[in-house]
Amino acid sequence: MYLTRFRVNTGRPGARRLLSSPQSLHAAAMSSFPGLLPTTTDGPRVLWRLDHNARAEVFLYIVSPERPDLTHLVEQAGWPTAALDPDTPGWQTRPYAPFLERLTKGGTWAFRLTANPVHYIRRKDGEPTKRTAHRTPVHQKAWLLDRQERSGFRIVEKSDENRLLPSGTTHKGHRHHGDRHELTVREPRSLAFSKSDEAGPKRHRVTVVTATFDGRLEVTDPEALRHTLTQGLGKAKAYGCGLMTLAPLPTTTE
Amino acid sequence: MSVLSLRLAGPLQAWGASARFIRRTTESAPTKSGVIGMLAAAQGLQRGDDAGLAPLSALRFGVRIDQPGTRIRDFQTAHHAVTGKSMPLSERFYLADAVFVAALEGDHTLLTTLHTALRAPVYPPYLGRRSCPPSLPVELGVHPGISLDQALRNEPWQASAWHQKRHRDRPTVTLVILREATSAERDGQEDVLRDQPLSFAAEHRRHALRTVLSTTVNVPNPLARPARPPGHTVPHHDPLDGLEEETA
C-alpha cells in the first residue's frame, strides 16, 4: 500500500477543471496507475481525498495498493518546471504498509475523514427505502459514532473541563454527542453533477453530500482499522469520500 | 456656563450662508443663523423682533459633523400656483442623509427655556430650509457646567446605524468640530463666515462675520466589530508525518 500527496496548483485552468468535477478528478486519480487499464471494472480499491486547507493550499491524497505516477496531474494542475528536478517530482509517495503494521490496540491518533454520511429512509408504508444524506452536523457526527466500533476505532471523549456542557449531556440529562467527543465536522459540501449511464444515453443527476471530520481516535481493533484505512468508510468512494488518514498527535509542550 | 446640544438629522438639509438670488447653495455644516433661527421660531419670536433675538445670537455656537452626507442639486422650474406664470429658474443645493451635533453655550436659564420650547415649538423646527423637516427629535439635552468644546467631545456618535456599520473596521472615528473661537484662541488665522444673525427682519436680513475654529475629536464607534483573526481555521493534519521516508 502507498500513501501519496499531491499539491494542486489552484491558479491553473486544469486544476479548476479537476477541482470542479469529482468525476474528472476520479478519472485522473485512477489513470495514475500504469498497470491498470481505464476500462478495468474490478481494479484495486483506490481512495482519494481533497483537503482544502486554504485558498491556495489544496492537497490531493491517494491511498492505493500500487505506486502511482502523477506526471499527468503535474502537467495539468501542478508545477511542471519545478518537477524537472528529480528531488521534487511534484508529489510524494510513501509506503503505507509499515505504518499500518505499526498500529496497535490502544494507540491514539489524530484523524481526518471526508465522508458521505447517508441513511436509508421510507417516507410512507410500502415504499422502497431510499438513500438520503445526513445534512446537519449532529446527525453527521452520530453517523460516524455509529460506525466507530465495527471500523476498529473509538473516538476519544473530551475531558470534563474541556466540555461546554457538564458531563456532555443536555440540561435535561439527554446524551448530546455535540460536545462529548474530540470530533468536529466542517466543510459541508453538496456536490451535484450529471452522469451518463453505461446502459444508455440518458443522463441523470447525482447529488453527494460530504462532510469533513477531524478528531482523535483510539485504536480498538487494528485489523478492522487497517481495513477502514485502505478500503474506505461509507459511500461515494469514487467522488473523494471515505478516505481516513491518521497523523501523530501533537506533543504537548508544557 | 451650560450647553444645549441638538441633533440635526434629516433626509435633506440646506444651510446657506452666502446664498443669493436663484442659486441657493449650502455650507457643509449647519450655520449659526440657521440654528438660532430655528430656536427663535420654536420660541415664537417674530421676524422683526431684533431685541428678542439678541440674547440668542449672543450664545456661543459649535457644530460637529457626525455624518457628512452627500451634496445634491435640485434644478427647480416652479410655476405660480394662482397665475400659472413661471417663477425664476433656480438651482437649490441640499445635504442628503447628513447628521450633525450642534451645541450652544450660554446662560443655563435661557438654554432650559430653549430646550422646553423645542419640545413644544410655536413654529415647527426645520433644518435650514422650510422643506427639510428633521427626522428625529432635535433636542439632546442641557448639560450644566461644561464648556462648548467638552459638550461636542462628549456626545456619543449620532450617525445612522448604516453609516456606523460602514465604518465597523474602526473602533474610533475622527469627527470634525467647527466652533466659535474664544477670545484667547483668536490669532487672526481663523476662517470667518457671515452667519452671525443681527436681524431676521423680512425686508432686510443682516448678518455679521463670525470666526470659525476647526478641530477634530475621536469618538468611539458603537458598531465597531473586530476583524477576524488572521490565519485559517482548518486544523493541522498531515498524514505523511506518521510515515517513514523511503530508504533509497
Side-chain angles (χ1 to χ4, degrees), chain A residues 195-254:
Chain A
K195 180 191 174 189
S196 62
D197 226 331
E198 288 275 320
K202 192 163 176 276
R203 293 176 76 80
H204 60 267
R205 295 291 288 175
V206 179
T207 311
V208 180
V209 172
T210 73
T212 301
F213 300 91
D214 281 280
R216 295 177 177 194
L217 60 77
E218 184 188 335
V219 183
T220 54
D221 181 353
E223 197 49 52
L225 183 58
R226 270 174 218 131
H227 187 265
T228 305
L229 293 176
T230 54
Q231 300 297 309
L233 186 59
K235 300 289 178 188
K237 297 192 186 80
Y239 302 126
C241 295
L243 169 56
M244 176 188 265
T245 53
L246 303 183
L249 288 175
T251 49
T252 48
T253 48
E254 293 300 316

Side-chain angles (χ1 to χ4, degrees), chain A residues 19 49 54 57 60 65 114 119 121 152 155 177 185 200 218 222 229 238:
Chain A
L19 293 181
R49 185 182 79 204
E57 190 183 296
L60 170 68
T114 298
H119 61 146
I121 60 161
I155 293 170
H177 38 244
V185 191
E218 184 188 335
L229 293 176

Side-chain angles (χ1 to χ4, degrees), chain A residues 23-97:
Chain A
Q23 278 183 302
S24 305
L25 196 52
H26 181 65
M30 292 306 287
S31 54
S32 46
F33 297 97
L36 198 65
L37 283 173
T39 48
T40 315
T41 49
D42 50 348
R45 179 83 261 172
V46 174
L47 297 170
W48 59 270
R49 185 182 79 204
L50 273 177
D51 275 13
H52 295 262
N53 292 340
R55 180 173 290 186
E57 190 183 296
V58 178
F59 288 113
L60 170 68
Y61 286 102
I62 299 177
V63 164
S64 55
E66 290 169 37
R67 179 180 284 274
D69 179 3
L70 302 189
T71 314
H72 64 297
L73 275 178
V74 176
E75 284 163 0
Q76 292 175 65
W79 286 265
T81 315
L84 291 178
D85 184 356
D87 291 337
T88 55
W91 74 89
Q92 289 153 291
T93 298
R94 291 189 188 173
Y96 207 20

Side-chain angles (χ1 to χ4, degrees), chain A residues 5 67 94 102 112 245-246, chain B residues 235 237-238 242 245-246:
Chain A
R5 180 175 66 187
R67 179 180 284 274
R94 291 189 188 173
R102 275 198 291 133
R112 180 174 289 177
T245 53
L246 303 183
Chain B
H237 181 87
D238 187 0
E245 285 276 359
E246 228 173 335

